[in-house]
Amino acid sequence: MAGDVVGTSQRDAQYAAIQEASARLMADSNAAASPGTEGGSVLRVAQLDSERLTIETYNQFRQQVRKAVQYLNVAGWELELDTVLGLLLFRHTVWNNHQTYGDRLQNIIYRSDARARALGKFKDVRFSNAVAPTTREKVLLCVASVLVPYIYGKLVKKSQDDGWGDLDPATWQRRAHDLLYQIETVVRVASLVNLIVFIREGKFRHVIDRLLGLRLVTFKSKVKKLSSFEFMDRQLWWRHVTEFLTFILPFVNFLPWLKRLFRTRTARTQVVNTTTCPVCMLNPIQIAAVTNCGHHFCYYCISSRVRQQAAACPVCSEPITSISRPQTRR
C-alpha cells in the first residue's frame, strides 16, 4: 500500500510538471505568434522581407501588363504604364489598408508617429485605427514613392535623348543634367545612411518613411503563422551571396592558380616528347634544345619565343631559367 501511494504521488507530480511545461510552451508560442515582433519591436528581417515581397508582387503585375499591351503601339510609354500600375497598387494597398501586400504577409502595418505621440501611444508598437496614417501623410507618401520617380525618370530620359551632357557647360540643359545626377547621388547617400541607422535602430526602412514619420508596427498582436518564410529567407540570402560573388570574382586573377594547377597535373601525367617540337611540330627536332623543365624544342623556336614573349614553357608554363643541349647516351 505504501508503495502504491508513493507511486501515485510521483505520477501526479510528473503530470503536474508536464502540465506546467505545456502551459509555458503555450504562453511562449502566443507571445511569439506574430512573425513581425520580437522584444516589443518589429523585426528588421520582417520589414526587409515585406519590401522584397512587395517588389516581387509589383514585378509580377508589371510583367502581366507588359504582356497584355505588347501588340499595341505603346513604345515610349513604359514609364507611364509603370506609374499607372504603381498608383493602382498604392490605391488598393497603402491608401485603403495602410499596408502593402508584403506588409500584410509579414503582419506589419504603417503607423503615424505624430498621431501616436499625440495620443500617448508612441511606445506601443501595436496598431489601432487611432494611429493610422493621415490622408496628408498618405498623399505625400504616394507622391514621393510613385510620382517623383516618374518625373525624375522622364527628365533623365529627356536628358539622354537630347544629349544634354554633351552641351556647353554654360547652357541650362547641361546644368540641369548635372543637377539631376547630383540629386541622384544625394539620394543614394541618404539611403545608405538611413539603411545603417535602420539596421541599428530597427525603424524607418526608407528615407521617406523617416521624413513623414511613418513607422511599421505589428498589425495583429496574435496571429498564427500560416506559412513559413524560412525557405524564402534562405533563397534571398543565397541570392545576395551570388550577386556579391558575381561582382567580386571578375577582380580576382585566377590565371596564376590555373597555370600552377595545369603545370602540376602536366608534370605528373605527361610523357616528355623528345622527337617532335611542340612549337613548330617538326619531327625530328632540328638542333634540339631542352629547357630546365625537361621539354625538348627546336633551338630556334624556343630561343625566339623566349626573346619575344614571357620566359615560360609553352607546354607546362614553367618559367624558363635555362636552355641547354640534350645529353646524348653513349
Side-chain angles (χ1 to χ4, degrees):
M1 288 295 292
D4 294 340
V5 171
V6 172
T8 302
S9 62
Q10 290 179 351
R11 286 194 297 270
D12 292 342
Q14 293 175 355
Y15 181 72
I18 293 174
Q19 282 188 326
E20 183 179 356
S22 301
R24 286 199 303 268
L25 289 175
M26 290 296 295
D28 294 341
S29 62
N30 291 332
S34 173
T37 61
E38 180 187 55
S41 61
V42 180
L43 285 174
R44 296 165 179 80
V45 68
Q47 299 181 58
L48 296 178
D49 284 350
S50 69
E51 181 182 12
R52 177 62 64 178
L53 290 169
T54 301
I55 293 174
E56 293 296 334
T57 303
Y58 172 79
N59 289 335
Q60 289 293 328
F61 279 109
R62 183 169 176 263
Q63 183 179 3
Q64 295 301 320
V65 171
R66 293 291 177 88
K67 288 182 178 180
V69 300
Q70 63 180 342
Y71 298 111
L72 302 178
N73 188 15
V74 294
W77 294 88
E78 290 82 2
L79 282 175
E80 284 74 12
L81 290 175
D82 294 343
T83 303
V84 171
L85 177 60
L87 290 172
L88 290 174
L89 291 178
F90 188 91
R91 173 69 172 80
H92 292 286
T93 55
V94 179
W95 187 271
N96 290 341
N97 304 318
H98 318 304
Q99 57 184 176
T100 63
Y101 293 124
D103 296 340
R104 180 176 288 272
L105 287 173
Q106 293 293 334
N107 189 39
I108 54 181
I109 191 170
Y110 274 117
R111 183 197 74 174
S112 174
D113 271 4
R115 299 183 69 179
R117 188 179 289 105
L119 296 174
K121 298 181 178 181
F122 183 75
K123 295 184 178 180
D124 191 357
V125 294
R126 293 172 298 179
F127 177 79
S128 63
N129 291 327
V131 295
T134 62
T135 302
R136 174 180 172 274
E137 291 171 339
K138 289 187 288 187
V139 169
L140 292 176
L141 181 61
C142 178
V143 170
S145 59
V146 181
L147 297 181
V148 170
Y150 166 71
I151 297 173
Y152 178 79
K154 293 294 290 185
L155 291 175
V156 171
K157 187 175 184 300
K158 178 68 174 176
S159 172
Q160 294 175 348
D161 293 343
D162 295 348
W164 289 2
D166 300 329
L167 299 178
D168 188 83
T171 60
W172 69 268
Q173 292 95 335
R174 178 60 181 274
R175 291 196 297 269
H177 173 271
D178 296 339
L179 179 61
L180 287 174
Y181 285 95
Q182 289 174 5
I183 292 174
E184 181 179 0
T185 302
V186 171
V187 171
R188 289 186 177 183
V189 172
S191 300
L192 176 61
V193 174
N194 182 81
L195 177 62
I196 296 173
V197 177
F198 166 75
I199 294 175
R200 178 180 177 83
E201 298 180 354
K203 298 183 294 184
F204 307 115
R205 62 187 177 187
H206 297 301
V207 177
I208 186 61
D209 296 347
R210 187 176 299 275
L211 294 176
L212 296 178
L214 295 177
R215 180 181 174 186
L216 288 169
V217 296
T218 304
F219 180 37
K220 296 180 180 180
S221 58
K222 292 183 180 181
V223 59
K224 292 184 178 180
K225 192 173 181 179
L226 300 179
S227 59
S228 175
F229 296 100
E230 294 179 359
F231 177 75
M232 185 192 69
D233 292 338
R234 188 161 57 249
Q235 288 294 106
L236 291 175
W237 187 85
W238 277 111
R239 179 176 179 178
H240 289 299
V241 170
T242 53
E243 288 178 354
F244 173 75
L245 292 177
T246 305
F247 170 77
I248 200 66
L249 286 180
F251 298 96
V252 181
N253 186 13
F254 292 100
L255 186 59
W257 299 352
L258 293 177
K259 286 184 175 180
R260 185 176 302 174
L261 177 63
F262 179 77
R263 184 167 61 247
T264 303
R265 295 184 60 183
T266 303
R268 292 178 179 178
T269 60
Q270 189 176 27
V271 177
V272 177
N273 189 348
T274 60
T275 60
T276 303
C277 177
V279 177
C280 65
M281 305 305 297
L282 185 64
N283 189 351
I285 295 176
Q286 299 296 319
I287 310 177
V290 61
T291 59
N292 55 286
C293 55
H295 294 101
H296 291 65
F297 304 89
C298 295
Y299 178 79
Y300 175 78
C301 293
I302 192 62
S303 61
S304 60
R305 191 177 184 87
V306 168
R307 287 195 300 267
Q308 295 175 2
Q309 301 178 3
C313 177
V315 177
C316 65
S317 300
E318 178 80 20
I320 297 177
T321 58
S322 63
I323 300 176
S324 60
R325 294 294 300 272
Q327 296 179 356
T328 59
R329 296 181 179 177
R330 295 182 180 178

